[in-house]
């Protein structure tokens, strides 16, 4: 079974600085998708960014970018120019292209210091 | 555009009482639907998913059940609640094609069993 591991339960960053959240996953599949979701205090899950495994280019969405290392099965999220509104729980998620379900990591709580 | 609704937003129920949580999706057809549970400060646990009316896949055996009486309606039920059923319940949808990527989440229901 696929597993997703987030080894950092908590991280903190100074406002306007850059922070990287780590995620590793275990799979024998070659075709899959990876995601980062954000869960602010409202607890609404919000999609931040996604990466298709067949794409070599790292996904980027404004201040959010990923470092996708397929051979290492690593998928880290970089947040640049951190803002107070970035404070939230961040979840890494995996879905095999042939499956209907998605697997989530345990989450990383990000604190942004003013 | 698509929207997903969950109700109630908050629920307090005594042990042994029944449960019914409802999730509906608007603006799409034939979605895949999902129920997750999130314990306090923890990640998401997939409970059930459905690829069509009357089709339910269970991920974790427990005293909860799910039903999909209509294409865009997903219901989570229990005949007798346990204290361990307390948590935050999230419903999510994804496009019916396997090539559809991410899941979109509802606002969630906070359930407290007393």
């Amino acid at each position: 079974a696929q597993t997703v591991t987030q080894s950092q339960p908590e991280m903190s960053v100074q406002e306007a600085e850059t922070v990287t959240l780590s995620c590793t996953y275990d799979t024998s599949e070659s075709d899959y998708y990876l995601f980062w979701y954000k869960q602010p205090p409202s607890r609404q899950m919000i999609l931040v960014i996604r990466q298709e495994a067949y794409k070599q280019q790292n996904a980027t969405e404004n201040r959010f970018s990923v470092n996708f290392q397929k051979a290492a099965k690593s998928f880290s999220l970089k947040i640049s120019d951190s803002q107070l509104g970035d404070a939230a729980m961040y979840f890494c998620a995996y879905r095999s292209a042939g499956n209907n379900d998605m697997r989530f990591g345990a989450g990383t709580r990000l604190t942004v210091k003013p | 555009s698509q929207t997903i609704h969950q109700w109630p937003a908050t629920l307090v129920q005594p042990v042994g009482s029944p449960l019914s949580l409802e999730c509906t999706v608007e603006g799409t057809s034939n979605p895949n639907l999902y129920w997750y549970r999130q314990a306090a400060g923890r990640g998401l646990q997939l409970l059930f998913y459905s690829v069509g009316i009357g089709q339910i896949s269970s991920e974790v055996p427990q005293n909860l059940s799910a039903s999909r009486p209509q294409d865009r309606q997903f219901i989570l039920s229990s005949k007798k609640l346990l204290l361990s059923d307390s948590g935050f319940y999230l419903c999510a949808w994804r496009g019916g094609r396997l090539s559809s990527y991410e899941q979109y989440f509802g606002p969630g229901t906070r359930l407290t069993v007393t």
Side-chain angles (χ1 to χ4, degrees):
Chain A
Q2 298 87 3
T3 57
V4 179
T5 302
Q6 293 179 249
S7 59
Q8 307 154 315
E10 296 183 356
M11 292 283 284
S12 67
V13 62
Q14 204 71 32
E15 192 175 6
E17 297 294 310
T18 295
V19 64
T20 299
L21 308 184
S22 301
C23 173
T24 59
Y25 56 94
D26 182 25
T27 185
S28 59
E29 303 284 339
S30 59
D31 192 11
Y32 51 87
Y33 310 110
L34 296 164
F35 310 88
W36 279 98
Y37 281 87
K38 169 185 177 182
Q39 188 180 41
S42 67
R43 304 197 78 172
Q44 174 77 52
M45 292 284 283
I46 302 166
L47 177 69
V48 175
I49 199 167
R50 75 163 187 250
Q51 174 81 42
E52 295 91 333
Y54 62 84
K55 290 186 177 179
Q56 294 185 340
Q57 186 173 5
N58 289 324
T60 298
E61 289 287 342
N62 300 316
R63 298 182 295 106
F64 299 87
S65 61
V66 300
N67 183 4
F68 174 46
Q69 302 289 328
K70 190 172 184 178
K73 299 179 182 176
S74 171
F75 182 60
S76 60
L77 174 70
K78 185 172 79 171
I79 306 174
S80 304
D81 186 24
S82 297
Q83 300 175 0
L84 294 178
D86 294 334
M89 283 287 288
Y90 286 82
F91 292 96
C92 179
Y94 165 100
R95 182 173 77 82
S96 170
N99 288 346
N100 287 301
D101 58 324
M102 186 178 288
R103 304 293 172 176
F104 286 82
T108 295
R109 181 175 302 279
L110 177 66
T111 302
V112 181
K113 299 178 181 179
Chain B
S1 64
Q2 301 86 3
T3 56
I4 179 169
H5 304 280
Q6 284 187 247
W7 65 88
T10 305
L11 190 61
V12 180
Q13 292 283 98
V15 168
S17 63
L19 172 74
S20 181
L21 303 181
E22 188 165 345
C23 170
T24 59
V25 181
E26 296 177 356
T28 187
S29 58
N30 302 315
N32 287 349
L33 297 172
Y34 305 82
W35 277 113
Y36 291 89
R37 177 167 60 198
Q38 185 179 28
R42 304 290 297 276
L44 277 69
Q45 178 188 33
L46 179 64
L47 301 175
F48 302 94
Y49 70 90
S50 171
V51 299
I53 296 174
Q55 300 179 64
I56 308 294
S57 296
S58 175
E59 288 291 306
V60 182
Q62 55 207 326
N63 70 317
L64 299 173
S65 63
S67 62
R68 185 169 176 175
Q70 301 180 40
D71 182 46
R72 289 170 288 180
Q73 184 185 31
F74 204 25
I75 297 173
L76 182 69
S77 304
S78 175
K79 293 182 179 178
K80 290 185 178 182
L81 282 169
L82 306 174
L83 285 174
S84 58
D85 291 325
S86 292
F88 190 64
Y89 289 81
L90 285 159
C91 180
W93 75 274
R94 182 175 67 80
R97 295 176 293 113
L98 283 175
S99 59
S100 296
Y101 300 123
E102 55 270 13
Q103 294 181 3
Y104 298 94
F105 287 82
T109 295
R110 184 182 306 276
L111 172 65
T112 303
V113 182
T114 60

